[in-house]
Amino acid sequence: QSALTQPRSVSGSPGQSVTISCTGTSSDVGGYNYVSWYQQYPGNAPKVIIYDVNKRPSGVPDRFSGSKSGNTASLTISGLQAEDEADYHCCSYAGYYTSYVFGTGTKVTVL
Amino acid sequence: QVQLVQSGAEVKKPGASVRVSCRASGYTFTNYDIHYMRQAPGQGLEWMGWMNPARGNTGYAQNFQGRVTMTRNISISTVHMDLSSLRSEDMAIYFCARGTGGLFDIWGQGTSVTVSS
């Protein structure tokens, strides 16, 4: 099972919006509505910010949103803030035998 | 509070085996699956496998079939992950996480595994 494809890095100024793509196949992203996104600061464990494609856990700011079209999922951060500078990982369910596959990870830089 | 606490850092020689443990607290241990992931330096996350603590059944990623084994000790709410035949490419931070639906909602702090002769 190959990793989902994410851009290596994206950047934006405070207040701007950035979108991170996560491209898989019909066997993972395109086949299930179980895409989740994780935010990770250096030296820390990941934290879930989006699940089931577009749901936000309690406490996650509404400037984080998720969507999916075909085999590509996307995470949008609106109104970028300095504290959003982190690594972001997508993850998709991929069926009973493969179970889960992660993306290659994206570093978000706030200029 | 709900948390997963992992065992400490390990240094192993090539060819050896390593055990990483993940102790759950603050919730009913047998109600949720435990998954293990790893992250090599500067790389993304890689899913390794899962265990259902209630039934003891497991599932492993194809990349680790034959080298990884997950077991549990219900009396201490702990899932162990054993990885054998270590090589330099196995140097990584290993994480456990609680699985619920299609997400991993609680993560351990991570365990560093160094493979060096």
Side-chain angles (χ1 to χ4, degrees):
Chain A
Q1 182 76 25
S2 299
L4 307 176
T5 302
Q6 296 180 233
R8 194 159 188 86
S9 63
V10 299
S11 61
S13 299
Q16 287 187 328
S17 293
V18 296
T19 296
I20 303 167
S21 60
C22 169
T23 301
T25 69
S26 57
S27 297
D28 38 63
V29 174
Y32 305 93
N33 286 325
Y34 289 125
V35 176
S36 50
W37 290 88
Y38 300 84
Q39 178 189 61
Q40 185 182 29
Y41 294 111
N44 282 32
K47 169 195 165 188
V48 60
I49 57 171
I50 294 287
Y51 67 100
D52 292 355
V53 175
N54 56 15
K55 297 185 173 72
R56 271 188 318 276
S58 170
V60 173
D62 61 6
R63 65 177 183 275
F64 292 95
S65 62
S67 63
K68 190 184 87 166
S69 177
N71 297 337
T72 298
S74 299
L75 172 73
T76 298
I77 309 174
S78 305
L80 200 60
Q81 297 186 8
E83 68 218 49
D84 300 332
E85 186 162 294
D87 293 325
Y88 293 82
H89 307 273
C90 63
C91 179
S92 176
Y93 181 67
Y96 181 80
Y97 292 102
T98 306
S99 289
Y100 290 92
V101 59
F102 278 91
T104 48
T106 299
K107 180 173 179 56
V108 170
T109 301
V110 181
L111 302 171
Chain B
Q1 73 279 25
V2 176
Q3 62 179 352
L4 298 174
V5 178
Q6 298 183 223
S7 50
E10 300 273 5
V11 179
K12 296 292 182 182
K13 293 190 186 309
S17 297
V18 69
R19 167 169 282 195
V20 177
S21 300
C22 175
R23 181 167 187 158
S25 62
Y27 71 95
T28 301
F29 174 62
T30 49
N31 282 0
Y32 297 84
D33 294 343
I34 292 290
H35 297 250
Y36 271 90
M37 278 69 77
R38 75 178 186 182
Q39 187 172 33
Q43 302 299 311
L45 293 160
E46 182 178 18
W47 183 81
M48 298 180 68
W50 64 273
M51 159 164 265
N52 179 294
R55 291 174 289 176
N57 53 324
T58 56
Y60 305 129
Q62 199 164 11
N63 286 352
F64 299 98
Q65 290 277 357
R67 283 210 303 145
V68 68
T69 304
M70 294 180 191
T71 56
R72 92 283 198 207
N73 184 332
I74 295 178
S75 67
I76 57 170
S77 301
T78 298
V79 174
H80 306 289
M81 187 281 297
D82 294 311
L83 186 64
S84 62
S85 303
L86 289 171
R87 36 203 188 234
S88 59
E89 308 90 89
D90 294 318
M91 267 209 310
I93 305 292
Y94 288 74
F95 293 100
C96 64
R98 189 177 80 167
T100 176
L103 74 147
F104 309 114
D105 66 341
I106 304 294
W107 290 67
Q109 82 276 21
T111 296
S112 171
V113 174
T114 300
V115 182
S116 173
S117 53

